[in-house]
Amino acid sequence: MLHRFANPTRFLRIASIAQPWIAWATILLAGTGLYLGLFNSPADYQQGESVRIMYVHVPAAWMAMFCYTSMAIAAGIGLIWKHPLADIAAKATAPVGACFTFLALFTGSLWGKPMWGTWWVWDARLTSMLVLLFLYLGYIALINAFDDPARGTKSSSILVLVGLINVPIIKFSVDWWNTLHQPASVLRMDGPSIDESMLWPLLLMALAFKTYYIWVLLVRIRAEIISNKIRILRLRQVHG
Amino acid sequence: MNGFMTVLKRDLHLAIRQGIDSMTVVMFFVLIVIIFPFGVGPEPNILARVASGVIWVAALLASTLSLERLFQIDYEDGSLELLSLSSVALEVIVLAKVTAHWLTTGLPLIITAPLLAVLLNMNKEGLLVLILALVVGTPSLSLVGAVGAALILGARRGGVLLALIILPLYLPVLIFGVSAVDAIINGFEAKAQLLILGAFFLAALPLCTWAAATSIKQAIE
């Protein structure tokens, strides 16, 4: 199964077929989600209209964590099975994940000003997101710091795996340090605690963010494979 | 065990012969702490409030500063490659080098810390817990830092890069190190925080040794 898709040429063929479908799915999902969220859902009885920031903030925060986990899984596969596509996927995920993390922090800050009366608090969730952003940035800096791209990929794969073990510990210690952010209200054992009229646009937006991620990931992986090919051709020209 | 002692002795010899290296780290540590009163003002109660945090942050920075050279010199002159070819497992060599690093930088920091605590007006109970926390916490710093030092082998701008990838990972040690001292100063027990620091060390011991050895392997292959 793994080796069937290990072939970059086969991947490129499948990706070029899948990409327009995923792009359209993203546009449709984001369009419906934004319409429902911005025009067709009630304002919160406490938070008023500013609750609509949630439809961007919460999916971005979910994606920030999702991207880090998928990056770690891809890096692990790349290290263990020397799977070239997995390495490329990990590398391609990092900037997307960093952007989602930044988006979550930024919208959270905009939301915090009217709700808590401040742009930033050193609260556990905010702080752990900030640390996550720096883990992403450290990864991107490390992967680009080597003259030999293969070295950069391996080094940064180890870094992501070390980070993956450390992220829960950081999360736990930061939680212990200070907590103000509201607890999770969607992913709970006894069902979501928010109203259906808000839950639907939120879930649509979450799906839209996910398909957007896959879309960008496909584009980036294709670009990476092509640039690798160009580099190899150039090297061959030089040596030939 | 023999290989461990040999590498440890070699690194300690090198550190003592060169001498200046571990002294620089201690001076850097002292200087950061001394600079703080100029920044936040000399009022004794403010200084006492931030003392544990300042000392911990200074210890983190000092340890990051010294870590860059942990494997770099041996990597550049090729002795790391020779060491990896020996019959001793690379993990053992890493552990020996980390121990040597802690003995030449962590330990001097712990010895200097009481002096700085006095300068920052920290009380006696706080000082005792601070020393305990540093004793349990700084080995973790050396271990986690060793992974970073191994990852940046052969990279451009190694030093700054090392700080960027290592400082976020140091966060748990910093949080529990500082809160142990804060707890005892405010009249609570500090046992829980110290135990968590110990747990972090015990988890870092195998994981970081292994991760650092893996990174070195792929750096010299």
Coordinates of all heavy atoms in Angstrom, one line a residue, chain A residues 79 82 127 131 134-135 137-139 141-142 144-147 150-151 154-156 158-159 161-163 165-166 169-170 172-174 176-177, chain B residues 75 144 147 150-157 161 164-165 168-172 175-176 179 192-193 196 200 207 211 214-215 218-221:
Chain A
L79 N 11.7 8.8 8.0 CA 12.9 8.3 8.7 C 13.0 6.8 8.7 O 14.1 6.2 8.5 CB 12.9 8.8 10.1 CG 13.6 10.2 10.5 CD1 13.5 10.4 12.0 CD2 15.0 10.2 10.0
K82 N 12.4 5.5 4.7 CA 13.1 6.3 3.7 C 12.2 6.6 2.5 O 12.6 6.4 1.4 CB 14.4 5.5 3.2 CG 15.2 4.9 4.3 CD 16.5 5.7 4.5 CE 17.3 5.1 5.6 NZ 17.5 5.9 6.8
T127 N -0.4 30.5 25.1 CA 1.0 30.3 25.3 C 1.5 29.1 24.5 O 2.5 29.1 23.8 CB 1.4 30.2 26.7 OG1 0.8 31.3 27.4 CG2 2.9 30.4 26.9
V131 N 4.1 28.7 21.5 CA 5.3 27.8 21.5 C 5.2 26.9 20.2 O 6.2 26.6 19.6 CB 5.3 26.9 22.8 CG1 6.4 25.9 22.7 CG2 5.5 27.8 24.0
F134 N 6.6 28.6 17.4 CA 8.1 28.6 17.4 C 8.7 27.3 17.0 O 9.7 27.2 16.4 CB 8.6 29.2 18.7 CG 8.7 30.6 18.7 CD1 7.7 31.4 19.3 CD2 9.7 31.3 18.1 CE1 7.7 32.8 19.2 CE2 9.7 32.7 18.0 CZ 8.7 33.4 18.6
L135 N 7.9 26.2 17.4 CA 8.4 24.9 16.9 C 8.4 24.8 15.4 O 9.3 24.3 14.8 CB 7.5 23.8 17.6 CG 7.7 23.6 19.1 CD1 6.7 22.5 19.6 CD2 9.1 23.1 19.4
L137 N 8.6 27.3 13.3 CA 9.6 28.2 12.8 C 11.0 27.6 12.9 O 11.8 27.7 12.0 CB 9.5 29.6 13.4 CG 8.3 30.4 13.2 CD1 8.3 31.7 13.9 CD2 8.0 30.6 11.7
G138 N 11.2 26.9 14.1 CA 12.5 26.2 14.3 C 12.7 25.1 13.2 O 13.8 25.0 12.7
Y139 N 11.6 24.4 13.0 CA 11.7 23.3 11.9 C 12.0 23.9 10.6 O 12.9 23.4 9.9 CB 10.3 22.6 11.9 CG 10.2 21.6 10.8 CD1 10.6 20.3 11.0 CD2 9.7 22.0 9.5 CE1 10.5 19.3 10.0 CE2 9.6 21.0 8.5 CZ 10.0 19.7 8.7 OH 9.9 18.8 7.7
A141 N 13.5 26.7 9.9 CA 14.8 27.3 9.9 C 15.8 26.2 9.8 O 16.8 26.3 9.0 CB 15.1 28.1 11.2
L142 N 15.6 25.0 10.5 CA 16.5 23.9 10.4 C 16.6 23.3 9.1 O 17.7 23.0 8.6 CB 16.2 22.9 11.5 CG 17.2 21.8 11.7 CD1 18.5 22.3 12.2 CD2 16.7 20.7 12.6
N144 N 16.1 24.5 6.2 CA 16.8 25.3 5.2 C 18.2 25.7 5.5 O 18.9 26.4 4.8 CB 16.0 26.6 5.0 CG 14.6 26.3 4.4 OD1 14.5 25.5 3.5 ND2 13.6 26.9 4.9
A145 N 18.8 25.1 6.7 CA 20.1 25.6 7.1 C 21.2 24.8 6.5 O 22.4 25.0 6.8 CB 20.1 25.6 8.6
F146 N 20.9 23.7 5.7 CA 22.0 22.8 5.2 C 22.2 23.0 3.7 O 21.2 23.3 3.0 CB 21.6 21.4 5.5 CG 21.6 21.0 7.0 CD1 20.5 21.1 7.7 CD2 22.8 20.6 7.6 CE1 20.5 20.8 9.1 CE2 22.8 20.3 8.9 CZ 21.6 20.4 9.7
D147 N 23.4 22.9 3.3 CA 23.7 23.0 1.9 C 23.2 21.8 1.2 O 22.7 21.9 0.0 CB 25.2 23.1 1.6 CG 25.7 24.5 2.2 OD1 25.0 25.5 2.1 OD2 26.8 24.5 2.7
A150 N 19.2 16.8 1.7 CA 18.9 15.5 2.3 C 19.2 15.6 3.8 O 18.5 15.1 4.7 CB 19.6 14.4 1.7
R151 N 20.3 16.3 4.1 CA 20.7 16.4 5.5 C 19.6 17.2 6.3 O 19.2 16.9 7.4 CB 22.0 17.2 5.7 CG 23.3 16.4 5.6 CD 23.5 15.5 6.8 NE 23.0 16.0 8.1 CZ 23.8 16.8 8.9 NH1 24.9 17.2 8.5 NH2 23.3 17.2 10.0
K154 N 16.5 15.1 7.1 CA 16.7 14.2 8.1 C 16.8 14.8 9.5 O 16.1 14.4 10.4 CB 17.9 13.3 7.9 CG 17.7 12.2 6.9 CD 18.9 11.3 6.8 CE 18.8 10.4 5.6 NZ 20.2 9.9 5.2
S155 N 17.6 15.9 9.6 CA 17.7 16.6 10.9 C 16.4 17.1 11.3 O 16.0 16.9 12.5 CB 18.7 17.8 10.7 OG 20.0 17.4 11.1
S156 N 15.7 17.7 10.4 CA 14.4 18.3 10.9 C 13.4 17.3 11.2 O 12.5 17.5 12.0 CB 13.9 19.4 9.9 OG 14.0 18.8 8.6
I158 N 14.0 14.5 12.7 CA 14.2 14.1 14.1 C 13.7 15.2 15.1 O 13.1 14.9 16.1 CB 15.7 13.9 14.3 CG1 16.2 12.7 13.5 CG2 16.0 13.6 15.8 CD1 17.7 12.5 13.5
L159 N 13.9 16.4 14.6 CA 13.4 17.5 15.5 C 11.9 17.5 15.7 O 11.4 17.7 16.8 CB 13.8 18.9 14.9 CG 13.3 20.1 15.7 CD1 14.0 20.2 17.0 CD2 13.6 21.4 14.9
L161 N 10.0 14.9 15.6 CA 9.6 13.8 16.5 C 9.9 14.1 17.9 O 9.1 13.8 18.8 CB 10.4 12.5 16.0 CG 9.9 12.0 14.7 CD1 10.7 10.7 14.3 CD2 8.4 11.7 14.7
V162 N 11.1 14.7 18.2 CA 11.4 15.2 19.5 C 10.3 16.2 20.0 O 9.8 16.1 21.1 CB 12.8 15.8 19.6 CG1 13.0 16.5 20.9 CG2 13.9 14.8 19.3
G163 N 9.9 17.1 19.1 CA 8.9 18.0 19.4 C 7.6 17.4 19.7 O 6.9 17.7 20.7
I165 N 7.0 14.5 21.1 CA 7.0 14.0 22.4 C 6.9 15.1 23.4 O 6.2 15.0 24.5 CB 8.3 13.2 22.7 CG1 8.4 12.0 21.7 CG2 8.3 12.6 24.1 CD1 9.7 11.3 21.8
N166 N 7.5 16.2 23.1 CA 7.6 17.3 24.0 C 6.3 18.2 24.0 O 6.0 18.8 25.0 CB 8.8 18.2 23.7 CG 9.5 18.7 25.0 OD1 8.8 18.9 26.0 ND2 10.7 18.9 24.9
I169 N 4.0 17.6 26.8 CA 4.6 18.0 28.1 C 4.5 19.5 28.3 O 4.2 20.0 29.3 CB 6.1 17.5 28.2 CG1 6.1 16.0 28.0 CG2 6.7 17.9 29.5 CD1 7.5 15.4 28.0
I170 N 4.9 20.2 27.2 CA 4.8 21.6 27.2 C 3.3 22.1 27.5 O 3.1 22.9 28.3 CB 5.3 22.2 25.9 CG1 6.7 22.0 25.7 CG2 5.0 23.7 25.8 CD1 7.3 22.4 24.3
F172 N 1.0 20.4 29.0 CA 0.6 20.1 30.4 C 1.2 21.2 31.3 O 0.6 21.7 32.2 CB 1.1 18.7 30.7 CG 1.4 18.5 32.2 CD1 0.3 18.4 33.1 CD2 2.7 18.4 32.6 CE1 0.6 18.2 34.4 CE2 2.9 18.2 33.9 CZ 1.9 18.0 34.9
S173 N 2.5 21.5 31.1 CA 3.2 22.4 32.0 C 2.6 23.8 31.9 O 2.5 24.5 32.9 CB 4.7 22.4 31.9 OG 5.0 22.4 30.5
V174 N 2.3 24.2 30.7 CA 1.7 25.5 30.5 C 0.3 25.6 31.1 O -0.1 26.6 31.7 CB 1.7 25.9 29.0 CG1 1.0 27.2 28.8 CG2 3.1 26.0 28.5
W176 N -0.7 24.0 33.6 CA -0.5 24.0 35.1 C -0.1 25.4 35.5 O -0.4 25.9 36.6 CB 0.6 23.0 35.3 CG 0.7 22.5 36.7 CD1 -0.1 21.6 37.3 CD2 1.5 23.0 37.7 NE1 0.2 21.4 38.6 CE2 1.2 22.3 38.9 CE3 2.6 24.0 37.8 CZ2 1.9 22.5 40.1 CZ3 3.2 24.1 39.0 CH2 2.9 23.4 40.1
W177 N 0.6 26.1 34.6 CA 1.2 27.4 34.9 C 0.1 28.5 35.0 O 0.1 29.3 35.9 CB 2.2 27.7 33.7 CG 2.9 29.0 33.8 CD1 3.7 29.4 34.8 CD2 2.9 30.1 32.9 NE1 4.2 30.7 34.6 CE2 3.7 31.1 33.4 CE3 2.3 30.2 31.6 CZ2 4.0 32.2 32.7 CZ3 2.5 31.4 30.9 CH2 3.4 32.4 31.5
Chain B
Y75 N 33.2 17.2 15.5 CA 32.6 16.9 14.2 C 33.6 17.5 13.1 O 33.9 16.8 12.1 CB 31.2 17.5 14.1 CG 30.6 17.4 12.7 CD1 30.2 16.2 12.2 CD2 30.5 18.6 11.9 CE1 29.6 16.1 10.9 CE2 29.9 18.5 10.7 CZ 29.4 17.3 10.2 OH 28.9 17.2 8.9
V144 N 18.5 17.7 26.6 CA 17.7 18.2 25.5 C 18.5 19.0 24.6 O 18.4 18.9 23.3 CB 16.5 19.1 26.1 CG1 15.7 19.7 24.9 CG2 15.6 18.2 26.9
V147 N 20.5 17.1 21.9 CA 19.8 16.8 20.7 C 19.9 17.9 19.7 O 20.2 17.7 18.5 CB 18.3 16.5 21.0 CG1 17.6 16.1 19.7 CG2 18.1 15.4 22.0
A150 N 23.3 18.1 18.2 CA 23.6 17.1 17.2 C 22.9 17.4 15.9 O 23.4 17.2 14.8 CB 23.2 15.8 17.8
L151 N 21.7 18.0 16.1 CA 20.9 18.3 14.8 C 21.5 19.4 14.0 O 21.4 19.4 12.8 CB 19.5 18.8 15.2 CG 18.5 17.7 15.7 CD1 17.2 18.4 16.2 CD2 18.2 16.7 14.6
I152 N 22.2 20.3 14.6 CA 22.7 21.5 13.8 C 24.1 21.2 13.2 O 24.7 22.1 12.6 CB 22.8 22.8 14.6 CG1 23.6 22.6 15.9 CG2 21.4 23.3 14.9 CD1 24.3 23.8 16.3
L153 N 24.7 20.0 13.5 CA 26.0 19.7 12.9 C 26.1 19.9 11.4 O 25.3 19.3 10.7 CB 26.4 18.2 13.2 CG 26.7 17.9 14.7 CD1 27.0 16.4 14.9 CD2 27.9 18.7 15.2
G154 N 27.0 20.8 11.0 CA 27.1 21.0 9.6 C 26.2 22.0 9.0 O 26.2 22.3 7.8
A155 N 25.4 22.6 9.9 CA 24.4 23.7 9.4 C 25.1 25.0 9.4 O 26.1 25.3 10.0 CB 23.2 23.7 10.3
R156 N 24.5 25.9 8.5 CA 25.0 27.3 8.5 C 24.4 28.0 9.8 O 23.3 27.7 10.2 CB 24.5 28.0 7.2 CG 25.3 27.6 6.0 CD 24.7 28.1 4.8 NE 23.8 27.1 4.2 CZ 22.5 27.4 3.8 NH1 22.0 28.6 4.1 NH2 21.8 26.5 3.3
R157 N 25.0 29.0 10.3 CA 24.5 29.8 11.4 C 24.1 28.9 12.6 O 23.0 29.1 13.1 CB 23.4 30.7 11.0 CG 23.7 31.7 10.0 CD 22.5 32.5 9.6 NE 21.3 31.7 9.3 CZ 21.1 31.2 8.1 NH1 21.9 31.5 7.1 NH2 20.0 30.5 7.9
L161 N 20.5 29.2 15.3 CA 19.6 28.2 15.0 C 19.4 27.3 16.2 O 18.2 26.9 16.5 CB 20.2 27.4 13.9 CG 19.3 26.3 13.2 CD1 18.1 27.0 12.6 CD2 20.0 25.6 12.2
L164 N 17.1 28.8 18.6 CA 15.7 28.8 18.1 C 15.0 27.5 18.3 O 13.8 27.4 18.6 CB 15.7 29.3 16.6 CG 14.4 29.4 15.9 CD1 13.5 30.4 16.6 CD2 14.6 29.7 14.4
I165 N 15.7 26.4 18.1 CA 15.0 25.1 18.2 C 15.0 24.5 19.6 O 14.2 23.7 19.9 CB 15.6 24.0 17.2 CG1 17.1 23.7 17.5 CG2 15.5 24.5 15.7 CD1 17.7 22.7 16.5
P168 N 12.3 26.6 22.9 CA 10.9 26.2 23.2 C 10.8 24.8 23.9 O 9.9 24.6 24.7 CB 10.3 26.1 21.8 CG 11.1 26.9 20.9 CD 12.5 26.9 21.5
L169 N 11.8 24.0 23.6 CA 11.8 22.7 24.3 C 12.2 22.7 25.8 O 11.9 21.8 26.5 CB 12.7 21.7 23.5 CG 12.4 21.5 22.1 CD1 13.4 20.5 21.4 CD2 11.0 20.9 21.8
Y170 N 12.8 23.8 26.1 CA 13.3 24.0 27.5 C 12.1 24.4 28.4 O 12.3 24.5 29.6 CB 14.4 25.1 27.6 CG 15.8 24.6 27.3 CD1 16.8 25.5 27.2 CD2 16.1 23.3 27.3 CE1 18.1 25.1 26.9 CE2 17.4 22.8 27.0 CZ 18.4 23.8 26.8 OH 19.6 23.3 26.6
L171 N 11.0 24.8 27.8 CA 9.9 25.5 28.6 C 9.5 24.7 29.8 O 9.4 25.3 30.9 CB 8.8 25.7 27.7 CG 8.1 27.0 27.9 CD1 9.0 28.2 27.7 CD2 6.9 27.2 27.0
P172 N 9.2 23.4 29.7 CA 8.8 22.7 30.9 C 9.7 22.8 32.1 O 9.3 23.0 33.3 CB 8.6 21.2 30.5 CG 8.4 21.3 29.0 CD 9.2 22.5 28.6
I175 N 9.4 26.3 33.6 CA 8.2 26.5 34.4 C 8.2 25.8 35.7 O 8.0 26.5 36.8 CB 6.9 26.0 33.6 CG1 6.7 26.9 32.4 CG2 5.7 25.9 34.4 CD1 5.6 26.4 31.5
F176 N 8.6 24.5 35.7 CA 8.6 23.9 37.0 C 9.8 24.3 37.9 O 9.7 24.3 39.1 CB 8.6 22.4 36.8 CG 7.3 21.9 36.3 CD1 7.1 21.5 35.0 CD2 6.2 21.9 37.2 CE1 5.8 21.2 34.5 CE2 4.9 21.5 36.7 CZ 4.8 21.1 35.4
S179 N 8.5 27.6 39.4 CA 7.4 27.5 40.3 C 7.7 26.7 41.6 O 7.1 26.9 42.6 CB 6.2 26.8 39.6 OG 6.5 25.5 39.3
A192 N 6.2 18.6 44.7 CA 5.6 18.1 43.5 C 6.4 18.6 42.3 O 6.7 17.9 41.4 CB 4.1 18.7 43.4
Q193 N 6.7 19.9 42.3 CA 7.5 20.5 41.2 C 8.8 19.8 41.0 O 9.3 19.5 39.9 CB 7.7 22.0 41.4 CG 6.5 22.8 41.2 CD 5.7 23.0 42.5 OE1 5.7 22.1 43.4 NE2 5.0 24.1 42.6
I196 N 8.4 16.5 39.4 CA 8.1 16.6 38.0 C 9.4 16.8 37.3 O 9.7 16.3 36.2 CB 7.0 17.6 37.7 CG1 5.7 17.2 38.3 CG2 6.9 17.9 36.2 CD1 4.6 18.2 38.2
F200 N 10.9 14.5 34.4 CA 11.4 15.0 33.1 C 12.8 14.6 32.8 O 13.1 14.2 31.7 CB 11.3 16.6 33.1 CG 11.4 17.2 31.7 CD1 10.3 17.3 30.9 CD2 12.7 17.7 31.3 CE1 10.5 17.8 29.6 CE2 12.8 18.2 30.0 CZ 11.7 18.3 29.2
L207 N 15.5 9.1 26.0 CA 15.0 9.6 24.7 C 16.0 10.6 24.1 O 16.3 10.4 22.9 CB 13.7 10.3 25.0 CG 12.5 9.4 25.3 CD1 11.3 10.3 25.6 CD2 12.2 8.5 24.1
A211 N 18.0 10.2 20.6 CA 17.7 11.1 19.5 C 19.0 11.8 19.1 O 19.3 11.9 17.9 CB 16.7 12.2 19.9
T214 N 21.1 9.3 17.1 CA 20.6 9.1 15.7 C 20.9 10.3 14.8 O 21.3 10.1 13.7 CB 19.0 9.0 15.8 OG1 18.7 8.2 16.9 CG2 18.5 8.5 14.5
S215 N 20.8 11.5 15.4 CA 21.2 12.7 14.6 C 22.7 12.7 14.2 O 23.0 13.1 13.1 CB 20.9 14.0 15.3 OG 19.9 13.9 16.2
Q218 N 23.3 10.3 11.3 CA 23.0 10.8 10.0 C 23.9 12.0 9.6 O 24.0 12.3 8.4 CB 21.5 11.0 9.8 CG 20.9 12.0 10.7 CD 20.9 13.4 10.1 OE1 21.2 13.5 9.0 NE2 20.5 14.3 11.0
A219 N 24.5 12.6 10.6 CA 25.4 13.7 10.2 C 26.7 13.2 9.7 O 27.3 13.9 8.8 CB 25.6 14.6 11.4
I220 N 27.2 12.1 10.2 CA 28.5 11.7 9.7 C 28.5 10.6 8.7 O 29.5 10.2 8.2 CB 29.4 11.2 10.9 CG1 28.6 10.1 11.7 CG2 29.7 12.3 11.8 CD1 29.4 9.6 12.9
E221 N 27.3 10.2 8.3 CA 27.3 9.0 7.3 C 27.6 9.5 5.9 O 27.5 10.7 5.6 CB 25.9 8.4 7.3 CG 24.8 9.1 6.5 CD 23.4 8.5 6.7 OE1 23.3 7.5 7.4 OE2 22.5 9.0 6.1

